[in-house]
Amino acid sequence: METSDDAAVYQLDGGLAIVQTVDYITPVVDDPYSCGLIAAANSLSDIYAMGARPLFALNIVGFPVGSLPLNVLEEILRGGADKVREAGASIIGGHSIDDPEPKYGLVVTGVIDPARIFRNSTARTGDDLILTKPIGLGIITTGIKREKVSQATIDAAVRLMATLNRGASEAMVEVEAHACTDVTGFGLLGHLHEMTRGAKVGARVSLSKVPIIPDAWRLVRDGICPGGTQRNHDALREAVVWDPGISREAQLILCDAQTSGGLLIAVPKERSAALIQRLQDHQTPAASVIGEIIEDPAGRIRLEP
Ligand code: CO
Ligand code: CO
């Protein structure tokens, strides 16, 4: 807990540890089946960020019984079950309550070799920083709620959020990266801040190297930005040193609160190209070196154009 790691790890006898996570969200798109896919991929993500393998999951459901038709709930659960099956795991139970606002997510149990746990706080000076999905999903989903986004962009965002971080995780395990976290509610820079603070290092990031969903620029220029993203930006005021050439819009995108974002991986420079190659083999949505870990006060992030 002290370094805000992604999941709890409990060591059993010998070469096996249990990895345990829980996560649930409110709907980010209208289509219930897609909501199930996304919520499940989001819940599994913390397992993958640790380099672990999911075994089974339990549903957590809040649903407005009586005001929404029950087949909506069936579609959400079908999406969740399909995504968990794709992960090679199964849903073996759960709990639901009557709730005015729908909520869905999973408790996920996985396993890991205790000698090969990927923490978020073990990056080292000189590591490259690699991101496996583009950012801007929080701004896009807020744009969807305000009906400012084309169907093509909605479809692309759903595909991104529903993509498991499994391939990214396997690639990171194969090349023995140093550290990893998934990019979710605190945004790219919020999670990088946790990562660098925990490792007592700093980081340098180049805006031009960060993969960004193109429509996010248009929306943020029109003033569309989730409250969580603005809070992330405020919270990082002391930690981030912005180059004067970085616009306020770009700053908000870099702090954008993601649902089911990619993995942020710190890897030794000499294995960085091998990781990129393996990420491409696993067809991750992005495989971008966005910066590096540097010697600096713990948690400091320097943003360059
Ligand atoms: Co996480
Ligand atoms: Co989480």
Side-chain angles (χ1 to χ4, degrees), residues 22-23 46 182 184:
V22 55
D23 209 319
D46 282 328
D182 58 341
T184 53

Side-chain angles (χ1 to χ4, degrees), residues 4-7 21 23 42 45-47 49-50 120 180-185 191 194 262-263:
S4 315
D5 227 321
D6 289 294
T21 73
D23 209 319
N42 183 63
S45 181
D46 282 328
I47 293 279
M50 305 295 294
N120 68 354
C180 179
T181 190
D182 58 341
V183 178
T184 53
H191 289 283
E194 283 182 343
L263 298 187

Side-chain angles (χ1 to χ4, degrees), residues 11-277:
Q11 181 156 5
L12 302 174
D13 294 340
L16 196 64
I18 287 178
V19 183
Q20 188 74 58
T21 73
V22 55
D23 209 319
Y24 61 96
I25 57 175
T26 55
V28 290
V29 292
D30 284 331
D31 174 55
Y33 179 74
S34 300
C35 281
L37 295 174
I38 293 166
N42 183 63
S43 298
L44 287 156
S45 181
D46 282 328
I47 293 279
Y48 290 129
M50 305 295 294
R53 181 168 64 86
L55 290 183
F56 62 89
L58 307 175
N59 283 324
I60 303 172
V61 182
F63 193 77
V65 184
S67 62
L68 273 181
L70 221 51
N71 71 324
V72 171
L73 176 57
E74 285 164 13
E75 281 299 284
I76 294 171
L77 297 182
R78 190 169 67 85
D82 282 354
K83 190 50 66 177
V84 169
R85 201 171 306 120
E86 181 191 327
S90 27
I91 294 175
I92 57 173
H95 184 73
S96 58
I97 59 163
D98 193 358
D99 189 333
E101 190 182 27
K103 298 176 183 73
Y104 178 55
L106 302 170
V107 174
V108 188
T109 301
V111 282
I112 197 167
D113 172 353
R116 304 183 78 190
I117 296 168
F118 289 79
R119 304 198 51 181
N120 68 354
S121 57
T122 44
R124 288 177 223 163
T125 300
D127 285 353
D128 271 344
L129 287 166
I130 291 175
L131 182 64
T132 70
K133 284 187 191 179
I135 58 169
L137 286 163
I139 291 163
I140 299 285
T141 55
T142 302
I144 294 173
K145 285 174 187 152
R146 309 237 181 114
E147 299 181 351
K148 302 267 196 214
V149 179
S150 70
Q151 190 58 45
T153 299
I154 296 174
D155 293 346
V158 167
R159 265 197 307 279
L160 275 175
M161 290 185 282
T163 299
L164 290 174
N165 282 327
R166 179 184 189 167
S169 178
E170 288 173 3
M172 146 185 109
V173 172
E174 285 159 12
V175 304
E176 298 181 36
H178 277 162
C180 179
T181 190
D182 58 341
V183 178
T184 53
F186 296 136
L188 172 64
L189 296 189
H191 289 283
L192 178 56
H193 175 60
E194 283 182 343
M195 197 179 215
T196 49
R197 196 181 45 191
K200 300 189 169 55
V201 294
R204 179 164 34 225
V205 171
S206 302
L207 170 65
S208 60
K209 295 184 184 164
V210 177
I212 293 168
I213 303 166
D215 254 11
W217 288 106
R218 175 181 62 81
L219 292 168
V220 82
R221 276 186 206 115
D222 288 348
I224 291 178
C225 184
T229 297
Q230 295 180 30
R231 283 193 294 278
N232 290 341
H233 183 256
D234 290 346
L236 290 168
R237 216 176 19 233
E238 310 269 291
V240 180
V241 181
W242 302 102
D243 181 279
I246 295 181
S247 65
R248 178 165 170 88
E249 287 82 6
Q251 294 183 18
L252 288 170
I253 290 172
L254 290 164
C255 296
D256 186 34
Q258 310 292 287
T259 297
S260 196
L263 298 187
L264 175 63
I265 304 168
V267 64
K269 269 206 169 51
E270 65 271 18
R271 297 204 289 278
S272 179
L275 178 56
I276 295 289
Q277 182 59 54

